[in-house]
C-alpha cells in the first residue's frame, strides 16, 4: 500500500471514529476527534512540499476540514437551531475514503478554513492550549482581527436649542457569544411604520469577546436632532454575524430603544428573535436568560 493510501486510510479511520462517537452521544470525544482530523487535513492543505495531492484534492480536503469544524461547533453550541448535522457530515465519508478518484461537485457550499499555524507533531493532543481553539469555545477571551471599518458617521453640527444623542454600544450578552464570527451592529431609526428617519449605520466588527459577552465599546452618533424625531419612533440595533456554511451575513437578533427611554446614562435593553420587526407588533424574546444589550446614552444640547 502506498504512503498516500495509508494516509487516506488513517484519515478515514479517524473520520469514522469521530462519527461513531457522535452517533453514540459521546460528544466530547467526537469534538476532539473532529478537531484533530480537521487540523491534520489543514496541515496537508498548507504543505508546500507535498506532491501527494493535486490542488483540487487539497481544496476538497480544506472543505472537509471546514465541515468538521462546523460540526464540532454545532456540538459545542447545543442551543443553536442552524447546526451542521451528523447526517450531513456522514455524506463526506465516501469522499475522504476515495479522494484520489473523487471528481464530483462538493455536496456543501463551503470554503476551506482560513490558513492557520501548522501544528507540530503531537500538538494535536493539546488542542485546548491553542489560541485558535479558544475562538471557537464560549467562555474564552479573544480579540477579533481588524476588518471592515464600518459606516459610522460623525456627529451633526449643533443647533441652538436642539439635542443630539450619542449612543455607546458597550456589549451584548449571548449564550453562544463564542460562536459568532465577525459580529457587528446595524443601527437605524424607524417610525412606527418602519420608515427610516436616519441614515443606517454599521459598526466595525466587535473588538473582543469574553465569556457570554461580545464587546463593542463604540459610539454611534444619531443623525437627527431628537426634537425632529417623532415620538412613536425607535432606534433599532440589529446584531449580525457571518455564517460560513451559507457564506453570508445574517441577523441573529435585534433590540430597540423607544423615544421615552432616551435619557443620559447606562441602560440595558431586551433582545428579540429575528426577523427584525420594525413595527414592533410581533415581538418574541430571544431568551429567558438575563442577557441584554448594554448601552450608554449621552445627550448634547446647545443652549
Amino acid at each position: 500500500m502506498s504512503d498516500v493510501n495509508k494516509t487516506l486510510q488513517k484519515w478515514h479511520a479517524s473520520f469514522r471514529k469521530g462519527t461513531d462517537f457522535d452517533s453514540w452521544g459521546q460528544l466530547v470525544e467526537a469534538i476532539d476527534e473532529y478537531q484533530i482530523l480537521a487540523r491534520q487535513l489543514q496541515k496537508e492543505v498548507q504543505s508546500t512540499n507535498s506532491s501527494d495531492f493535486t490542488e483540487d484534492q487539497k481544496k476538497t480536503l480544506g472543505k472537509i476540514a471546514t465541515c468538521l469544524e462546523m460540526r464540532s461547533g454545532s456540538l459545542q453550541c447545543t442551543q443553536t437551531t442552524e447546526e451542521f448535522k451528523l447526517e450531513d457530515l456522514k455524506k463526506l465519508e465516501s469522499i475522504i475514503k476515495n479522494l484520489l478518484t473523487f471528481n464530483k461537485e462538493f455536496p456543501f457550499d463551503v470554503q476551506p478554513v482560513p490558513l492557520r499555524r501548522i501544528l507540530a507533531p503531537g500538538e494535536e493532543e493539546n488542542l485546548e492550549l491553542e489560541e485558535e481553539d479558544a475562538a471557537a469555545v464560549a467562555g474564552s477571551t479573544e480579540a477579533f482581527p481588524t476588518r471592515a471599518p464600518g459606516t459610522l458617521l460623525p456627529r451633526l453640527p449643533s443647533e441652538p436649542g436642539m439635542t443630539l444623542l450619542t449612543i455607546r454600544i458597550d456589549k451584548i450578552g449571548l449564550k453562544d457569544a463564542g460562536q459568532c464570527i465577525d459580529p457587528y451592529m446595524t443601527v437605524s431609526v424607524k417610525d412606527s411604520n418602519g420608515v427610516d428617519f436616519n441614515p443606517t449605520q454599521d459598526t466595525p466588527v466587535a473588538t473582543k469577546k469574553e465569556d457570554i459577552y461580545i464587546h463593542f465599546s463604540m459610539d454611534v452618533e444619531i443623525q437627527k436632532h431628537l426634537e425632529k424625531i417623532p415620538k412613536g419612533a425607535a432606534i433599532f440595533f440589529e446584531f449580525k454575524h457571518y455564517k460560513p456554511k451559507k457564506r453570508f451575513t445574517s441577523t441573529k437578533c435585534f433590540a430597540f430603544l423607544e423615544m421615552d427611554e432616551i435619557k443620559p446614562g447606562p441602560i440595558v435593553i431586551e433582545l428579540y428573535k429575528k426577523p427584525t420587526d420594525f413595527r414592533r407588533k410581533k415581538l418574541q424574546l430571544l431568551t429567558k436568560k438575563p442577557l441584554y444589550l448594554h448601552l450608554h446614552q449621552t445627550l448634547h444640547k446647545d443652549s
Side-chain angles (χ1 to χ4, degrees), residues 144-145 147 179-184 204-206 239-242 249:
F144 290 104
R147 299 289 177 94
Q179 301 293 320
C180 297
I181 300 173
D182 291 351
Y184 68 95
V205 168
F239 178 82
K240 300 179 178 181
H241 64 124
Y242 180 71
T249 297

Side-chain angles (χ1 to χ4, degrees), residues 158-176:
S158 60
E159 293 184 17
M162 305 297 277
T163 308
L164 291 169
L165 171 63
T166 301
I167 298 178
R168 184 172 185 79
I169 303 175
D170 285 330
K171 60 186 178 180
I172 186 172
L174 298 166
K175 56 191 174 185
D176 57 349

Side-chain angles (χ1 to χ4, degrees), residues 236-253:
F236 283 85
F237 304 86
E238 297 173 89
F239 178 82
K240 300 179 178 181
H241 64 124
Y242 180 71
K243 291 188 173 182
K245 181 179 179 181
K246 297 184 178 180
R247 295 172 63 194
F248 67 75
T249 297
S250 171
T251 299
K252 181 177 181 64
C253 60

Side-chain angles (χ1 to χ4, degrees), residues 224-271:
K224 191 78 116 178
H225 292 92
L226 294 184
E227 291 80 3
K228 298 178 181 178
I229 300 176
K231 292 184 182 293
I235 302 170
F236 283 85
F237 304 86
E238 297 173 89
F239 178 82
K240 300 179 178 181
H241 64 124
Y242 180 71
K243 291 188 173 182
K245 181 179 179 181
K246 297 184 178 180
R247 295 172 63 194
F248 67 75
T249 297
S250 171
T251 299
K252 181 177 181 64
C253 60
F254 72 98
F256 58 86
L257 193 63
E258 295 186 319
M259 301 312 292
D260 60 4
E261 296 176 295
I262 293 177
K263 60 189 74 172
I267 186 173
V268 295
I269 54 178
E270 293 177 317
L271 303 173

Side-chain angles (χ1 to χ4, degrees), residues 9-276:
Q9 189 178 64
K10 181 182 72 171
W11 288 344
H12 178 238
S14 177
F15 185 93
R16 282 294 301 271
K17 187 177 179 181
T19 55
D20 283 346
F21 280 138
D22 202 341
S23 62
W24 297 335
Q26 294 178 241
L27 304 188
V28 174
E29 292 84 353
I31 290 168
D32 283 347
E33 199 65 38
Y34 290 152
Q35 291 181 336
I36 289 170
L37 179 56
R39 281 147 185 78
Q40 289 174 348
L41 299 183
Q42 182 64 5
K43 182 178 179 181
E44 183 63 43
V45 171
Q46 292 182 48
S47 174
T48 57
N49 300 321
S50 172
S51 58
D52 293 338
F53 300 101
T54 67
E55 287 305 309
D56 284 343
Q57 289 167 349
K58 285 186 175 184
K59 186 176 292 186
T60 298
L61 289 174
K63 290 181 177 182
I64 293 172
T66 296
C67 294
L68 289 165
E69 293 204 348
M70 289 169 62
R71 178 58 186 163
S72 176
S74 293
L75 293 178
Q76 293 177 65
C77 183
T78 56
Q79 301 299 319
T80 183
T81 57
E82 300 189 24
E83 58 184 16
F84 192 81
K85 300 182 183 300
L86 175 58
E87 52 262 38
D88 292 333
L89 189 64
K90 284 184 174 181
K91 295 176 183 177
L92 305 180
E93 182 176 353
S94 63
I95 299 177
I96 198 169
K97 184 179 180 180
N98 304 299
L99 180 68
L100 299 181
T101 56
F102 177 73
N103 59 2
K104 299 179 181 178
E105 186 175 348
F106 198 78
F108 304 106
D109 187 13
V110 298
Q111 294 300 308
V113 293
L115 295 179
R116 64 175 75 208
R117 177 171 57 86
I118 295 177
L119 306 178
E123 197 174 2
E124 296 93 340
E125 301 302 326
N126 298 303
L127 295 174
E128 71 278 5
L129 300 180
E130 294 185 50
E131 291 179 358
E132 290 88 352
D133 288 339
V137 181
S140 67
T141 301
E142 178 73 10
F144 290 104
T146 301
R147 299 289 177 94
T151 58
L152 295 182
L153 298 168
R155 189 181 307 165
L156 293 176
S158 60
E159 293 184 17
M162 305 297 277
T163 308
L164 291 169
L165 171 63
T166 301
I167 298 178
R168 184 172 185 79
I169 303 175
D170 285 330
K171 60 186 178 180
I172 186 172
L174 298 166
K175 56 191 174 185
D176 57 349
Q179 301 293 320
C180 297
I181 300 173
D182 291 351
Y184 68 95
M185 201 77 71
T186 295
V187 182
S188 58
V189 181
K190 312 271 189 182
D191 69 9
S192 56
N193 293 315
V195 177
D196 275 310
F197 263 85
N198 207 68
T200 297
Q201 302 181 68
D202 292 333
T203 71
V205 168
T207 53
K208 69 174 183 177
K209 57 186 175 183
E210 184 176 21
D211 194 24
I212 59 170
Y213 293 107
I214 294 176
H215 294 261
F216 286 87
S217 303
M218 299 173 190
D219 289 339
V220 180
E221 303 291 347
I222 300 304
Q223 299 293 299
K224 191 78 116 178
H225 292 92
L226 294 184
E227 291 80 3
K228 298 178 181 178
I229 300 176
K231 292 184 182 293
I235 302 170
F236 283 85
F237 304 86
E238 297 173 89
F239 178 82
K240 300 179 178 181
H241 64 124
Y242 180 71
K243 291 188 173 182
K245 181 179 179 181
K246 297 184 178 180
R247 295 172 63 194
F248 67 75
T249 297
S250 171
T251 299
K252 181 177 181 64
C253 60
F254 72 98
F256 58 86
L257 193 63
E258 295 186 319
M259 301 312 292
D260 60 4
E261 296 176 295
I262 293 177
K263 60 189 74 172
I267 186 173
V268 295
I269 54 178
E270 293 177 317
L271 303 173
Y272 296 96
K273 291 181 180 180
K274 64 179 182 181
T276 308

